[in-house]
Amino acid sequence: MYCVRKITEDLYWAGGNDHRLALFENIHPIPRGVSYNSYVLLDQKAVLFDTVDWSICRQFLENIEAVLNDRNLDYMVINHVEPDHAACIEEIILRYPDAKIICTEKAFMFMHQFGFPIDDKAIKVKEGDTMSFGKHKVAFVSAPMVHWPEAMVSYDTTNGVLFSADAFGSFGALDGKLFNDEVNFDRDWIDDARRYYTNIVGKYGPHVQALLKKASNLDIKFICPLHGPVWRNDFVYLLDKYDKWSRYEPEEKGVMIVYATMYGNTESAASDLATRLVKKGMTNVVMYDVSKTHVSYLISETFKYSHVVLASVTYNLKIYPPMLNYIMDMKALNLQKRIFAIIENGSWAPQAGKLMRELLDEMKEMTILDSDVTVSSAMKEDNVDSMEAIANSIVDSI
Ligand code: FEO
């Protein structure tokens, strides 16, 4: 059975949800599922904006058929070729062989690489090109590295609809609620939106900034991303989050303590610090066990908070592997502008502190507070002064 929603008088959401997929990109857990959004414009010409992941292809085809209602499909605009959106292009070509494909030169090349038969169908567009489909004139805006190099966004100049590709998307299935004002975004969605942005697009902050600059010149009435809710109001809220994330500015002054513990002793030291911070009035403190928290959540939280404490046991004379994985992911995603404090633990040769410091030193605009704490096996009275000093340094820097 088809399942579609009307966005404007002639624009339809024709995507779908996947609750069965456990790992997005086979890496990131999505316990709330994910939506793959696709849109159909019914003007003098019928235009499809992007397709969906293969997992929901059948639902998608039923939706397209229902919206077209015996019309032919004239155009397919491909804003992004990653297979979670492009997997069904070939299926659409088979069913609607007359449809032309509008895309960037690079998207054309990628579709070729994926083996789609598009040679006689492609209309290549570049920044600033426009196409009229009847009453709607759509402008194409390049958006390289948001999230792949071929990406573009499409802006309907007639009704202010921005088809924003991966930008402004979120993990989480829609479950019938399509618009941002049909959900409590700040309560129920923001953590998944941040986790999606930071892990998928987080590395490309300057490119996102470039897109935000272009978007600021548009009179946007709707933002239609490829994942998550469609936005029809409260744009300032969303744009502000994107601006902060893409400039690597924290959302909140607060302390995130990430600890790597084998038998609970490093956790105990981390708890001691958390308690000291709270007693000094810094109550915005969160703690995460690096072994129990998927790194995508850690990355998301690291983008959120201003201060990060890394507390790690030494393991084979190195950083505990899950902690190393977290720091390397932070580095890969180009995270910057955070204030760090370090706690290390080791029973015979503590090394983790020095090694973590070296890795953080290789990252941009990271401040490491001077006073490390070195715990020998378990925190004792002789660690109290240094723990108190680290707590004071954190509070002072906030
Ligand atoms: Fe949702 Fe970059 O694909």
Side-chain angles (χ1 to χ4, degrees), residues 119-191:
D119 279 354
D120 58 337
K121 297 179 182 304
I123 300 172
K124 295 175 197 167
V125 292
K126 56 185 183 327
E127 173 83 16
D129 286 353
T130 60
M131 276 191 74
S132 282
F133 300 111
K135 118 184 143 169
H136 292 266
K137 185 166 97 171
V138 173
F140 304 104
V141 179
S142 71
M145 303 320 299
V146 187
H147 139 233
W148 278 14
E150 90 298 355
M152 67 174 183
V153 301
S154 304
Y155 175 66
D156 188 330
T157 61
T158 309
N159 58 5
V161 173
L162 178 69
F163 299 95
S164 64
D166 270 349
F168 309 117
S170 178
F171 293 143
L174 292 166
D175 299 341
K177 295 158 280 187
L178 179 62
F179 296 104
N180 68 296
D181 52 24
E182 294 173 333
V183 301
N184 187 332
F185 197 89
D186 200 51
R187 186 190 66 195
D188 300 332
W189 281 80
I190 186 62
D191 288 339

Side-chain angles (χ1 to χ4, degrees), residues 24 80 82 84-85 147 166 196 227:
F24 186 81
H80 186 22
E82 191 167 9
D84 55 333
H85 310 294
H147 139 233
D166 270 349
Y196 167 83
H227 303 283

Side-chain angles (χ1 to χ4, degrees), residues 81-325:
V81 186
E82 191 167 9
D84 55 333
H85 310 294
C88 299
I89 289 175
E90 195 167 9
E91 201 59 32
I92 292 290
I93 290 172
L94 287 171
R95 286 161 195 254
Y96 304 97
D98 298 332
K100 296 284 184 201
I101 297 176
I102 301 168
C103 62
T104 62
E105 172 80 43
K106 217 164 229 148
F108 176 79
M109 187 182 96
F110 286 176
M111 281 187 269
H112 236 274
Q113 287 178 192
F114 280 109
F116 301 150
I118 54 164
D119 279 354
D120 58 337
K121 297 179 182 304
I123 300 172
K124 295 175 197 167
V125 292
K126 56 185 183 327
E127 173 83 16
D129 286 353
T130 60
M131 276 191 74
S132 282
F133 300 111
K135 118 184 143 169
H136 292 266
K137 185 166 97 171
V138 173
F140 304 104
V141 179
S142 71
M145 303 320 299
V146 187
H147 139 233
W148 278 14
E150 90 298 355
M152 67 174 183
V153 301
S154 304
Y155 175 66
D156 188 330
T157 61
T158 309
N159 58 5
V161 173
L162 178 69
F163 299 95
S164 64
D166 270 349
F168 309 117
S170 178
F171 293 143
L174 292 166
D175 299 341
K177 295 158 280 187
L178 179 62
F179 296 104
N180 68 296
D181 52 24
E182 294 173 333
V183 301
N184 187 332
F185 197 89
D186 200 51
R187 186 190 66 195
D188 300 332
W189 281 80
I190 186 62
D191 288 339
D192 262 336
R194 185 190 307 102
R195 194 162 62 88
Y196 167 83
Y197 171 84
T198 56
N199 286 279
I200 306 298
V201 196
K203 179 180 174 68
Y204 307 111
H207 298 85
V208 175
Q209 277 289 311
L211 181 60
L212 289 176
K213 202 168 164 203
K214 291 180 190 177
S216 68
N217 297 320
L218 305 176
D219 183 16
I220 295 171
K221 300 284 196 300
F222 292 86
I223 296 177
C224 294
L226 289 175
H227 303 283
V230 167
W231 288 75
R232 60 182 174 188
N233 51 39
D234 215 4
F235 300 123
V236 173
Y237 170 88
L238 182 64
L239 292 168
D240 177 62
K241 295 289 185 199
Y242 260 68
D243 185 45
K244 280 201 175 75
W245 295 336
S246 56
R247 284 187 295 113
Y248 303 98
E249 298 290 350
E251 281 169 73
E252 293 181 12
K253 284 190 185 301
V255 184
M256 175 191 184
I257 303 175
V258 184
Y259 61 89
T261 196
M262 292 167 65
Y263 299 104
N265 290 306
T266 308
E267 178 180 6
S268 177
S271 291
D272 180 276
L273 176 62
T275 307
R276 286 174 199 279
L277 290 167
V278 173
K279 277 159 66 178
K280 290 174 191 298
M282 171 31 76
T283 54
N284 194 11
V285 176
V286 291
M287 287 181 61
Y288 290 101
D289 183 334
V290 77
S291 299
K292 293 214 181 76
T293 315
H294 189 273
V295 70
S296 67
Y297 291 87
L298 296 174
I299 290 294
S300 179
E301 291 291 88
T302 313
F303 269 72
K304 180 177 176 183
Y305 292 105
S306 59
H307 288 61
V308 183
V309 177
L310 303 178
S312 182
V313 65
T314 301
Y315 196 81
N316 286 329
L317 297 179
K318 303 284 186 198
I319 302 166
Y320 192 65
M323 178 65 87
L324 177 63
N325 180 51

